[in-house]
Amino acid sequence: MTTTAIDYQTEPPRYRHWRLAFDGDVAYLIMDVDQAGGMGDYELKLNSYDLGVDIELNDAVQRLRFEHPEVRAVVIQSGKDNVFCAGANIRMLGKSTHQQKVNFCKFTNETRLAIEDASENSKQTYICAVNGNAAGGGYELALAADYIMLVDDRRSTVALPETPLLAVLPGTGGLTRVTDKRKVRRDRADVFCSVEEGVRGAKAVEWRLVDEVVPNSKWKDTVAARAHEIAARSDRPKDAKGIKLNAIQRKIDTDRVTYSHVEVEIDRTRGLATVTVRGPSEDVPASVEAAHELGDRFWPLTVARELEDAILHLRSNEREIGVILFRTDGNAQAVLAHDKFLAKANGDWLMREIRHYLKRVLKRVDVTAKSFIALIEPGSCFAGTLAELAFAADRSLMLIGTREGDNRKAAAITLGQANFGFYPMGNGLTRLQTRFLGEPELLDTLKGKIGEAIEGEDAAELGLVTMSYEDFDWDDELRVMLEERTSFSPDAMTGMEANLRFAGPETMETKIFGRLTAWQNWIFQRPNAIGEQGALKLYGSGVSPTFVKERV
Amino acid sequence: MTTTAIDYQTEPPRYRHWRLAFDGDVAYLIMDVDQAGGMGDYELKLNSYDLGVDIELNDAVQRLRFEHPEVRAVVIQSGKDNVFCAGANIRMLGKSTHQQKVNFCKFTNETRLAIEDASENSKQTYICAVNGNAAGGGYELALAADYIMLVDDRRSTVALPETPLLAVLPGTGGLTRVTDKRKVRRDRADVFCSVEEGVRGAKAVEWRLVDEVVPNSKWKDTVAARAHEIAARSDRPKDAKGIKLNAIQRKIDTDRVTYSHVEVEIDRTRGLATVTVRGPSEDVPASVEAAHELGDRFWPLTVARELEDAILHLRSNEREIGVILFRTDGNAQAVLAHDKFLAKANGDWLMREIRHYLKRVLKRVDVTAKSFIALIEPGSCFAGTLAELAFAADRSLMLIGTREGDNRKAAAITLGQANFGFYPMGNGLTRLQTRFLGEPELLDTLKGKIGEAIEGEDAAELGLVTMSYEDFDWDDELRVMLEERTSFSPDAMTGMEANLRFAGPETMETKIFGRLTAWQNWIFQRPNAIGEQGALKLYGSGVSPTFVKERV
């Protein structure tokens, strides 16, 4: 896999692997991978994919929600004959470093969850029309859809052959979705995950692996009919007009990435990056129509896009950065005014999309393997939506009052209604609910303080920040903390954070990022998969792998 | 760590590390580790422990439930001055293989969960009286108790220093219990898990890490008072008389372990073991008193003890055995009669203990990293409690009808009330509920069939078995399946099974064995922990570890 910087931004005219087609309220998202279009030295045969293919898929899923509100059902299908998708490209996996494999799986998992989020929360429902073999990641892509159709041509199957073929797990939520979404009986799941050739026809329905099999002769018509039926059930507005997601404003320098409202400063010597998010520079729009008019220049949407790109960039391209500092800069009341605007206009499809998008961006923070520390200083605007950055952080530090020689407003956290339900985490709870799992009564107290600037020791006493320091202690305390944090084993930090961030209930989503991902990461280090005699290394070479037989 | 066979059987006269003392309805379980009593070439300083120490603890917890029903509260404390427990011995971990570390953590996790099970289900409530530093596994032991007291001597702390000191996670449920049992705020948990020196005094209470701090001068009296208060709340019978858990009947040969009602045959060439469980050889006792009289010869208790030992033996001492076949032999109605007896006498403390014990043994199967395949053949007794072995297995195969030349009863599964609530899994559901997560209505149908011998194709149709084969296909089908299963990567199987076995809700218990354990196992392979420059290798050498800085 390439080591040049990975860019998560793209747009349909640049797609090499996907096509979009529209038929009224139904969109067709057609996978037609360009064999020569991989990011590294391998061929993307049989509609297999690498990160580049998934970056386009992620972009398409995102644009369908914002640019095509008229779409009520999305059909994913293959543009190739006889193959739906062969899953993640094995040569790519074989050549990837551990970090690349893990980050690849994380991003593809997020994309699958974004598909489910669109079905559930935008009623832009995904259907997967499996026209050809769907193996591994190919079937996992289908599993992300709400409805799976399989062509009955006596040949096409769905399969999760990773375990028998490659000695790894299906890495994109497959096992969890088989047991918890499709609710396949565990012994059948065991058989299914052990047979290379997969399952087809009526048995695939009986085993709950797909929802419907359709004879070849009726395939096209039945897929279209099903898509229109499902589209008809959607509550989406009939007359909505999409907004354009223009290229984000971004300038990448050696130690800095500059967006319009987000700035990333990178200090590689210390292993630190600082992400500063700026509050709104303009008043809330006069009306919902005016907000639509602003389109991607509407502050909450701008910030969501820029923050997302910054996080993805740091994950992939700044691998030795272990700690990210969150800073904000601006007017707290202006942030709250935007939140209020979003809440009031929640019946509007675009405002709803923006909230769900912000939710997804914050979830990306939750599963990012970096330590996050929020620095709440004079002039900052940790309010409402932006206060979630402090609650998503592993720790937050607040400066008590103001700084000498600095006449900006005292450091404060300002709660808003956004903190009480806009942005549930993967565990289904808000960040404040998760934070105060042991003191749920505190949530009512905090609700009573919506709109108040909660400063210094008050914020610490209410449990909203981890520590608060006077100006004269601030620099030293911060320096010591950061030196300590960056001296710890990066792996131990990753494991610790993955456990401490998700108190309370587990969901399919937290299972995927917790149990499943952790086991996969474990296997991704084992000689039986990645050693010279391992299955991932030897796949396609004609030589069979040799396994260490010990059971761990 | 030693590579001689590990024996999980012990008894108080042989304890080297624990003492039991009794004060009416309160027992004191005193940790006083014999520095020279480790299982390998290391010294167990500062009440640190290895597997041998935990085998004794497990035995003590077990015996308190069976031999001391008069005990209503158990106080765990240290027999040493100034130290409660320094956790798992670091030299031991440094010298252990990956498999040994993983298995060690699994067993200690099971012991901590057994402590919680005693508090919850036997109202034999555990209190931890932390008289000295409790670090790492020492504090994790405390976390297993329902009530934690800490002496306030201005010195004693609770701490989870694994991450900063050793670059690994607290491996015995610490992170999960901090967030989900103690409900410590996530940012405080983050701080707590990063400070080597831990937290003491009032702050430990404020942070919810302990329930009470007590000045040194009042320590002994307060601990005793609290123990008697907690004991007074128990619903345990006043006049109960314990039964003796005698040494189990066991003969270990090269390829065979023979118990009174369990037999283990080991085929190392094929990587297989067969565990045969024999049904009751005698009628149910005439009365509950008669069952007490039988004591550990009462069939359900005998089988629980023998099966548990067999599973633990196979885990630790037959590491290259990847597949375990479950067979049963006996009379299905006799098994059901014993289940009925247990259910009817459920108000009796001993019968209740036996059911909970069987539950725990079956849970050990659920988290064992071996493939389990149940073979349901003529003459078998997969009924009620023993049918759970088939439902705990990854697959079950049933022979249709009888065998040529074999006049034993046709192969069947016979459901009993035990299958509908006696033995919840770690996820809180019964094995049938988990199995039929997608078809819950089937559970009512199945309840209607309690007591019926469900044979061959009927069992397959009802979803109770994975496959059913005629006699003439049986041997070939089985051979092919086993050849295939044992040819797969053992690691991939472990990961796959850990994901497929636990559909449905997650609990603290499943989080510990899922998310937490998997991340720990991942870290246990990383050079930052175990490499030549890793923290676990270099601990105590005076040389600081060198970490690969990449964040994964």
Side-chain angles (χ1 to χ4, degrees), chain B residues 230-284:
Chain B
I230 286 169
R233 282 185 236 136
S234 171
D235 69 351
R236 296 191 65 77
K238 293 265 175 205
D239 50 353
K241 211 177 143 287
I243 62 156
K244 178 89 177 81
L245 296 179
N246 298 291
I248 56 172
Q249 291 178 42
R250 180 182 63 177
K251 186 167 170 284
I252 302 181
D253 298 311
T254 313
D255 298 329
R256 184 177 298 268
V257 188
T258 312
Y259 304 86
S260 78
H261 287 75
V262 172
E263 176 117 28
V264 181
E265 291 161 277
I266 296 156
D267 182 343
R268 293 190 190 86
T269 316
R270 295 172 72 202
L272 296 176
T274 304
V275 173
T276 304
V277 180
R278 267 190 288 281
S281 38
E282 296 185 35
D283 286 345
V284 288

Side-chain angles (χ1 to χ4, degrees), chain A residues 136-211:
Chain A
Y139 178 53
E140 288 178 295
L141 177 59
L143 283 168
D146 264 28
Y147 193 79
I148 308 176
M149 305 175 77
L150 173 63
V151 68
D152 193 2
D153 57 2
R154 314 194 66 74
R155 199 174 46 194
S156 295
T157 63
V158 295
L160 291 177
E162 284 89 338
T163 308
L165 272 187
L166 305 169
V168 300
L169 302 183
T172 324
L175 299 184
T176 309
R177 286 197 179 84
V178 162
T179 55
D180 282 66
K181 184 179 185 180
R182 306 290 312 182
K183 298 187 170 71
V184 175
R185 232 173 60 203
R186 58 170 281 192
D187 55 342
R188 285 177 168 169
D190 182 278
V191 173
F192 174 61
C193 297
S194 325
V195 291
E196 288 174 30
E197 64 275 20
V199 170
R200 65 178 167 82
K203 188 171 169 185
V205 177
E206 193 199 335
W207 283 28
R208 308 173 68 93
L209 298 166
V210 306
D211 293 288

Side-chain angles (χ1 to χ4, degrees), chain A residues 52-72:
Chain A
V53 177
D54 221 68
I55 286 172
E56 292 184 5
L57 172 61
N58 177 60
D59 184 75
V61 171
Q62 183 76 339
R63 287 184 195 275
L64 280 166
R65 290 177 81 162
F66 282 95
E67 301 188 347
H68 296 281
E70 77 283 2
V71 169
R72 293 148 179 268

